[in-house]
Amino acid sequence: MPKDAPDFSFIVKEVRRQLGLSQEALAQELGVSYATIHRWENGKTTPFKLARTQFDAFCRKMNREGKLNQ
């Protein structure tokens, strides 16, 4: 990741903010636990490859639907 790129915790928070979702709602959309989203947003963990792939696919879908400006 380039040095000036936002870190993953910022990206997760921004996606939730733009979509108006709670951590619980985003967790349900991605098929992960609330605690997982909480840890991602607080920078305690980063997603494994499968979860990151699901997150990226979700963001692409929301972008195509015009719900996300990323």
Side-chain angles (χ1 to χ4, degrees):
M1 180 181 297
K3 198 170 193 173
D4 60 347
D7 66 7
F8 188 71
S9 63
F10 174 82
I11 293 168
V12 175
K13 288 176 193 174
E14 183 62 15
V15 165
R16 275 199 328 102
R17 184 191 67 76
Q18 287 188 31
L19 296 174
L21 295 175
S22 65
Q23 288 180 338
E24 181 69 34
L26 180 59
Q28 288 176 349
E29 289 286 341
L30 298 176
V32 300
S33 70
Y34 154 80
T36 296
I37 300 298
H38 183 76
R39 286 190 297 265
W40 289 353
E41 285 194 8
N42 289 305
K44 294 183 191 267
T45 62
T46 56
F48 292 113
K49 187 176 181 180
L50 177 60
R52 180 63 194 248
T53 300
Q54 289 173 285
F55 179 79
D56 291 344
F58 174 75
C59 290
R60 283 191 302 275
K61 178 184 173 199
M62 294 295 103
N63 198 319
R64 279 192 310 270
E65 292 178 7
K67 297 177 181 176
L68 185 63
N69 299 315
Q70 189 178 351

